Amino acid sequence: MAGTFVTFEGGEGTGKSTQLKLLAATLAGRGIPCIQTREPGGTPEAEALRTLLVNGDPGRWTAEAEALLNYAARSSHLEKIIRPALSIGKFVLCDRFSDSTRAYQGYAGGCDMKLLDALEAAIVGSTRPALTLILDIDPVKGLERAKARADGSEDRYERKGLEFHQRLRAGFLKIAEAEPKRCRVIDASGSVDDTNASIRAAVEPMLHG
Ligand code: TMP
């Protein structure tokens, strides 16, 4: 794999998407070619699955169905966007990836982790991120932020209740603890600039080979 795969993870209202754009601008400023993409999504087929996942009644899918739909989207995304970009040496910045399935469907939703292990082995294989930035915030604050900027769409997970979001945060922290080399927990409770500074510090070592 010639390129560098970096993923952004975290609960709702962490400012992940803003931070991804800021990092992309930093890389562009240094002449490093990168693509910005997201999950579920990134291809027209996966975006169609996203619409099914992020809208409607919070209980419309079981956690297992959500895992399968996310992995269907991920399979398309990996084959058509992520692997081709990495193979020509690009930096790939991805807003969410398989850790979101572990945290949302597994730790928070109760999906059997063995199913998620099997899906990850079959679909992701060796295309694992070199670095995963886990943006961390108290879910009370995160949900407030998410609500403040909401336009009433794509809020199915925001409506799942505080306990779900507390399990979610604990799940992301467990993932970080289990893989400290790959994952960096970034405090996302401060300003956009503070969070950006922490992210730049975490990414910097990767820019020098
Ligand atoms: P976003 O709002 O960060 O773009 O993400 C869309 C929603 O999808 C978010 O609420 C988290 C959720 N999600 C999962 O539940 N499982 C997954 O595997 C992914 C990628 C996202």
Side-chain angles (χ1 to χ4, degrees), residues 12 16 39-40 50 70 74 96 100-101 104-105 157:
E12 307 295 321
K16 200 170 42 49
E39 291 208 345
R50 178 187 179 94
N70 272 294
R74 186 160 299 136
R96 299 195 180 283
S100 276
T101 316
Y104 278 81
Q105 282 66 56
Y157 286 94

Side-chain angles (χ1 to χ4, degrees), residues 9-12 16-17 38-41 50 53-54 66-67 70-71 74 95-105 149 154-158 164-165 168:
E9 297 280 7
E12 307 295 321
K16 200 170 42 49
S17 310
R38 70 170 182 180
E39 291 208 345
R50 178 187 179 94
L53 280 159
V54 299
E66 289 176 1
N70 272 294
Y71 265 99
R74 186 160 299 136
D95 190 341
R96 299 195 180 283
F97 193 61
S98 44
D99 295 314
S100 276
T101 316
R102 286 191 181 280
Y104 278 81
Q105 282 66 56
R149 57 145 206 256
E154 297 209 338
D155 64 349
R156 183 170 159 259
Y157 286 94
E158 282 162 40
F164 178 93
H165 291 279
L168 180 69

